[in-house]
Amino acid sequence: MTELTGSTASEVAALIARERRRSGTGMLGMVLTLVVATDERGHYDALRAANDAAMEHPCRVIAVIPRAPKEKPRLDAEVGTAQRGNPGENVVLRLYGHLGEHADSVVLPLLLPDAPVVVWWPGDAPKDPGASPLGRLAHRRVTDAAACARPGASLRERLGELTDGDTDLAWTRLTPWRALLAAALDEPFDTVTGATIAAARGNPSAVLLAGWLRAKLGVEPAAKVSRGPGITEVRLSSARGDLSLARPDGERATLTRPGQPDRRVALKRRTTADLLAEELRRLDADEVYAESLAAAFPEKVPG
Amino acid sequence: MTASSPGSPRRRETPSWGGNPLRDPRDRRLPRIAGPCGLVIFGVTGDLARKKLMPAVYDLANRGLLPPGFALTGFARRDWADQDFTQVVHDSIKEHARTPYREEVWQQLADGCRFVQGEFADDEAFDTLARTIADLDRVRGTNGNHAFYLSVPPAAFPVVIRQLERSGLSAANGDQWRRLVVEKPFGHDLASARELQEVIGHVFPSGSVFRIDHYLGKETVQNLLALRFANNLFEPIWNRRYVDHVQITMAEDIGIGGRAGYYDGIGAARDVLQNHLLQLLALTAMEEPVSFAADALRTEKTKVLSAVTLPKDLETGTARGVYAAGWQGGVQVPGYHDEPGIRNTSKTETYAAVRLEVDTRRWAGVPFYLRTGKRLVRRVTEIAVVFQRAPHLPFTSTETEELGSNALVIRVQPDEGVTMRFGSKVPGTQMEVRDVNMDFAYGEAFTESSPEAYERLILDVLLGDPPLFPRHEEVELSWQVVDPVTEAWAARGKPEPYAAGTWGPSSADELLARDGRAWRHA
């Protein structure tokens, strides 16, 4: 890592180019810029996860950390190349004073030319990510309701201000569950008449899963509080019996359906890097997420 | 799409994507998970099974793509109990799997591991296999869906297939499916390929037969279709007006290893050129399919393979060689005739090159040079589309002395990606143009995260998704290309020796030199 203090974006850009030349690698392999809006406490873990995800999606990672809002505006930067299998650069920007409100002015000149931009808030996120200065630069905005102080409330906030390209890791965590449930209904099954979701208290993924089932099956899912971790069981009821996918230990699940033997399947909770890698695979609007989020809070939808 | 209104009856007898209310074409996060099923591997003690198939099954499970209750059954001569087999699977996964070892994933697989001991001729063993599978349906819920993977020498195909029929294993009831997976070689010439097809076709309908050419499962090969048909940059010049010639290379640095028994009498043309290289040629030269559905893709491949023509004079239009002792990458290695199990009098070639043409409006007059060999400089597989030189160069000849032909190279392995080669000005006050390479290595450069070909292919078998598997017609057409070459070679002389660790025999260089061209130093 090379450091700059009291710097500007053009100096940082020049340093990136210099570091590139010194390490002898071109920038053609990189496919996107990943901006991590974080803080001093979260940036280490976030950068690790981002660089691990970059094994699959080589990218330039820019961490943006607002500092001491009362100080005079100043930009400090660190630039490093090729971390943890990511051939792209790592840039850490520390924004002092009012500059923290104008992060976009620093990030904009540092984006890869003509490549998609993803902004990720690993912790608390602005109320309206799509309208925030960094969010406006992005094709995709990734929040994580589970990492916010009040998960349920922050999901509800998202709904009001949803922009195309918004997504939440609470939704990403559901993909293996949803995949198994969808595959289970690829097999003949009676009309689903009800659903029950058991999860740890306040689990935002369970709220989204209920929204998805409500939107797709037209049932009113009942919520049960369990000890976790995360979601522990999803049960779909029909006139001929229940289909259940239960994961009490956060690792292995059992699929039960009427008249058939129990089937075991690995269903481990995934790392942040895995979740992020899944997010980076698709950069267009996730309409199914939008629908499920809306259906998760039916009282908020007008009409 | 199918958000069924509550209360409306929604009964389905056969599963289909459209009928499942949880499936939504816009929901592209959801992977395709195979329905309840099991996989039976014959020849489970072999290298392929241990190094590729079992690890691929584990990697699929680890990626959450195998159904709950999946069962893996091994069949071999070895006197093993289920636990011994489970241990072998465990060891092969630990050593060869691409994704990290996870205990809970392993447990999911281990519970469904079974082993059946027996000879292929042994009726009793196949009856045991039938009972094992019925038992799996009962305790694991594989629901009568089973794929049979023949990882055995081709000579054993007919007996295994007849046994599958006799024991009732090949017959599926109602919604169930039974599928057959065979590895190349699909015969050793046209006549034997037809015989094999007769045996297979008698027992399994063509839609249930999956012929594995593992090259077609590689990301780059699929990327070739994206490169050609998703872009507007390449297709306009992908024809005889701009392309000078095409070189398709599959080079190996290893010798025949322990495969003497299989390889001798087969040779490079039948082993590699007939399948891998002609499939790559088909994908490179074919017209745009109307869709990427299996039938549309195969139609185009069949068309282009039927348009492939051999040189009139097979003497000058082909080259063959056999590796002699030499130094390969700093190691002294024996010649082919010194390998254990190979006789001095063997006429088998370990290098084959051929000049083909594709008789279509798009490709008339453009030669396709195909080459493959063992003990070459290094391991590389690539498709190089070499373009004509600019019709007029507004530079002096000294300025462009170092300028070659533009080329687009699709690197299939080991370093998957695409390279573009073009002329660029050398920095300085003088005008001097020299070739430079522009590289693209998206994702594929990071082999750890790029799925193995066998993962994709096994998953496609379990899903019943056939686009990446060659159809019998393609196999026949390919033999029609290769048969005259191997017959001409059998009729005269012996392959020309080349030193191990070089780019092959001099006759192969002459083959291109006669056309005023040269092989790439891939």
Side-chain angles (χ1 to χ4, degrees), chain A residues 178 185-186 216 284 291, chain B residues 12 15 24 26-28 141:
Chain A
R178 297 197 303 120
L185 290 198
D186 280 341
K216 294 295 175 199
D284 50 351
E291 279 174 16
Chain B
R12 265 180 317 115
D24 182 336
R26 298 168 307 165
D27 196 347
R28 284 167 301 181

Side-chain angles (χ1 to χ4, degrees), chain B residues 240 243-248 281 309 354-358 363-370 384-386 388 511-512 515-517 519:
Chain B
R240 63 185 306 275
V243 175
D244 181 68
H245 69 283
V246 177
Q247 297 186 12
I248 303 180
L281 177 144
T309 56
V354 59
R355 177 193 198 278
L356 298 175
E357 290 198 22
V358 177
W363 295 117
V366 177
F368 284 71
Y369 301 101
L370 275 50
V385 179
V386 181
Q388 295 164 15
L511 170 68
L512 264 72
D515 295 344
R517 302 187 176 103
W519 291 107

Side-chain angles (χ1 to χ4, degrees), chain B residues 343-420:
Chain B
R343 273 171 303 158
N344 265 337
T345 50
S346 169
K347 284 166 68 180
T348 304
E349 82 282 355
T350 64
Y351 180 100
V354 59
R355 177 193 198 278
L356 298 175
E357 290 198 22
V358 177
D359 261 354
T360 61
R361 190 181 180 107
R362 184 192 282 260
W363 295 117
V366 177
F368 284 71
Y369 301 101
L370 275 50
R371 63 172 165 168
T372 178
K374 293 196 175 290
R375 285 270 184 245
L376 298 185
V377 175
R378 58 199 185 92
R379 171 172 169 261
V380 59
T381 302
E382 64 166 42
I383 303 163
V385 179
V386 181
F387 293 92
Q388 295 164 15
R389 287 180 68 108
H392 169 74
L393 290 168
F395 307 99
T396 65
S397 59
T398 49
E399 286 168 347
T400 54
E401 210 172 359
E402 291 180 76
L403 176 66
S405 299
N406 297 162
L408 184 73
V409 184
I410 293 115
R411 307 191 308 267
V412 178
Q413 71 176 15
D415 173 27
E416 301 183 43
V418 180
T419 300
M420 222 196 269

Side-chain angles (χ1 to χ4, degrees), chain A residues 31 55 167 171 178 182 185-186 188 190-191 216 240 252 261 263 266 268 278-279 282 284 286 291, chain B residues 10-12 15 20 23-24 26-29 68 102 104 108 111 138-139 141 143 442 446 448:
Chain A
V31 295
M55 295 272 284
T167 178
W171 174 245
R178 297 197 303 120
L185 290 198
D186 280 341
D190 244 19
T191 306
K216 294 295 175 199
R240 298 234 207 126
R252 296 184 68 192
R263 301 183 174 104
K268 199 181 169 75
E278 177 184 322
E279 277 315 314
R282 301 216 159 266
D284 50 351
D286 189 339
E291 279 174 16
Chain B
R10 192 193 56 80
R11 282 291 308 277
R12 265 180 317 115
N20 182 344
R23 294 274 178 213
D24 182 336
R26 298 168 307 165
D27 196 347
R28 284 167 301 181
R29 283 176 195 267
R102 282 164 46 191
E104 74 279 6
Q108 175 192 351
D111 293 351
R138 200 168 47 76
V139 301
N143 288 13
Y442 175 36
F446 308 92
E448 276 164 319

Side-chain angles (χ1 to χ4, degrees), chain B residues 274-321:
Chain B
Q274 184 268 343
N275 37 69
H276 302 322
L277 294 192
L278 282 174
Q279 283 288 328
L280 292 182
L281 177 144
L283 292 170
T284 309
M286 72 180 190
E287 297 298 317
E288 182 170 23
V290 289
S291 79
F292 282 120
D295 276 346
L297 208 55
R298 288 164 158 180
T299 303
E300 294 307 331
K301 277 159 66 185
T302 311
K303 263 168 64 186
V304 74
L305 284 172
S306 63
V308 169
T309 56
L310 284 162
K312 281 199 188 67
D313 182 1
L314 287 173
E315 178 93 28
T316 54
T318 68
R320 62 179 159 153

